[in-house]
Amino acid sequence: MVEDGSVHGAFILRHQDFWLGRAVASIAHFRLPLSEGIVNRKFASVGMQMVRHAILEQPLLFALGMGGRQRALPRLLEGMHWKLWEVPFYFFVNQPFRFLRGIRVLRSGALRSLTLDAAAFSGLGWAAARVAQRVARRSALQAVTLENIQAFSNLDDELWHDCRSHYSFVAVRDSETLRLLYPEGSERFLCRRVRRSGKPVGWFVALDTAMQGHKQFGNLRVGTIADALALPEDAETVIHAAAGFLRARGVDLIVSNQTHPAWGAALRCAGFFKAASNFVLAVSPKLQECCGDARGFHFNRGDGDGPIHL
């Protein structure tokens, strides 16, 4: 956004194919908008002008993440009649002592810190976490094996074609797209195919990140179920497999954001707790007409900006 040779704002449109219930359509992610209006009220209207300009270029538009509904961009989009949903956040405490001592977002005051320290050193926190998660977590599913994915293949194309009609709004996850998102040889993305009785039923992409001074996770080692695909009825198998994989690696905490009810139910069955989410999905008015019921959406940290900050 330029006026008299000076730049006052900028944004990125990332175009990507999505399945919208019955067909594939190209839509765009409204990404990383930056406005001088943040620091100078003279340019307060720049944010709105950027959104309007983006909609003229691509009416089928979404934004994702944004730090929570209370932030400036989600409030602006809601005021412009975009529809907003929080992408639910789930977590599993794998190392209770380290979690209680290191979870920065919960240690916001002296009293809270002392309480968490007491729970950690007394063993009460460990006992409470284990009892709650054993009550919630079902037995690990039998005859399930994991296969390291060096590069996504035609097996994943078959899965995509089998799965897509079960979701009303989901990014295309064929092998070509997945190889771009999670390139072969990447050490960051831990891609695994899930087989049950030898048959591929889904895949997941996990992260294992040693945080350093993270504003929420401090210095915890955080495992993330960043992306996954399966039929809704097989979500529980994939989530159990992904959670077991990350538990075995010894992470302190496992997290995931998932919109679809089947994936949320699978996380709860695997012993995950639900907490407040700062990961928000917003869709433009035109896209609202195409994307159907939110209960059929399949969004997670593999979408939008991807697994940034994780």
Side-chain angles (χ1 to χ4, degrees):
M1 304 294 289
V2 180
E3 181 183 56
D4 297 329
S6 296
V7 177
H8 301 294
F11 63 90
I12 297 170
L13 288 185
R14 189 180 82 164
H15 299 270
Q16 186 175 351
D17 287 343
F18 276 73
W19 174 261
L20 291 175
R22 296 181 179 179
V24 171
S26 178
I27 70 175
H29 175 215
F30 183 64
R31 184 180 183 192
L32 300 177
L34 183 63
S35 167
E36 193 174 350
I38 295 171
V39 295
N40 187 342
R41 293 194 60 80
K42 177 183 176 182
F43 300 103
S45 66
V46 168
M48 186 179 295
Q49 291 177 47
M50 290 195 299
V51 175
R52 287 174 174 167
H53 185 83
I55 288 176
L56 286 174
E57 288 197 29
Q58 171 54 283
L60 303 179
L61 205 60
F62 77 99
L64 187 64
M66 300 181 286
R69 298 180 73 114
Q70 76 284 358
R71 302 292 291 272
L73 178 58
R75 288 191 287 110
L76 170 64
L77 296 177
E78 194 165 33
M80 298 179 71
H81 307 295
W82 289 43
K83 182 70 173 177
L84 272 62
W85 296 270
E86 291 179 353
V87 180
F89 173 75
Y90 300 88
F91 71 97
F92 180 98
V93 178
N94 195 44
Q95 304 288 351
F97 180 85
R98 284 186 50 80
F99 171 79
L100 291 168
R101 292 279 288 154
I103 185 67
R104 182 173 290 183
V105 69
L106 297 181
R107 302 175 69 89
S108 56
L111 181 59
R112 285 190 176 188
S113 296
L114 285 171
T115 301
L116 291 174
D117 287 344
F121 285 107
S122 69
L124 290 175
W126 182 90
R130 284 293 176 260
V131 168
Q133 290 172 347
R134 283 175 181 171
V135 169
R137 191 172 69 203
R138 297 178 181 174
S139 301
L141 302 175
Q142 300 300 311
V144 172
T145 57
L146 297 183
E147 174 187 343
N148 185 19
I149 301 176
Q150 296 293 338
F152 288 92
S153 68
N154 61 334
L155 287 175
D156 308 296
D157 290 327
E158 294 172 10
L159 180 71
W160 163 245
H161 286 290
D162 290 343
C163 290
R164 64 185 186 181
S165 61
H166 294 264
Y167 301 101
S168 64
F169 187 17
V170 56
V172 169
R173 284 174 163 89
D174 59 13
S175 62
E176 181 181 7
T177 302
L178 292 169
R179 285 194 297 268
L180 290 172
L181 293 173
Y182 311 114
E184 183 178 0
S186 170
E187 295 183 359
R188 187 180 185 216
F189 300 119
L190 307 172
C191 305
R192 298 294 185 271
R193 187 174 291 114
V194 181
R195 292 180 178 269
R196 186 176 57 220
S197 301
K199 178 184 176 182
V201 295
W203 53 259
F204 65 84
V205 177
L207 306 177
D208 180 347
T209 309
M211 298 295 184
Q212 297 292 327
H214 191 280
K215 65 180 181 180
Q216 294 167 322
F217 301 128
N219 296 326
L220 293 177
R221 186 174 158 200
V222 178
T224 306
I225 304 173
D227 201 352
L229 185 67
L231 292 170
E233 58 263 36
D234 291 327
E236 188 174 340
T237 299
V238 174
I239 288 296
H240 269 285
F245 170 74
L246 288 167
R247 288 199 306 270
R249 290 178 67 91
V251 300
D252 301 323
L253 176 69
I254 307 173
V255 300
S256 190
N257 289 85
Q258 300 286 343
T259 55
H260 196 276
W263 291 87
L267 287 159
R268 292 191 296 274
C269 287
F272 283 69
F273 299 113
K274 189 176 180 180
S277 176
N278 64 2
F279 203 63
V280 177
L281 170 65
V283 301
S284 67
K286 190 67 176 178
L287 184 53
Q288 291 176 48
E289 300 173 8
C290 307
C291 63
D293 192 322
R295 290 175 296 180
F297 292 7
H298 183 42
F299 276 80
N300 53 40
R301 293 302 286 255
D303 295 301
D305 288 331
I308 60 172
H309 308 310
L310 291 172

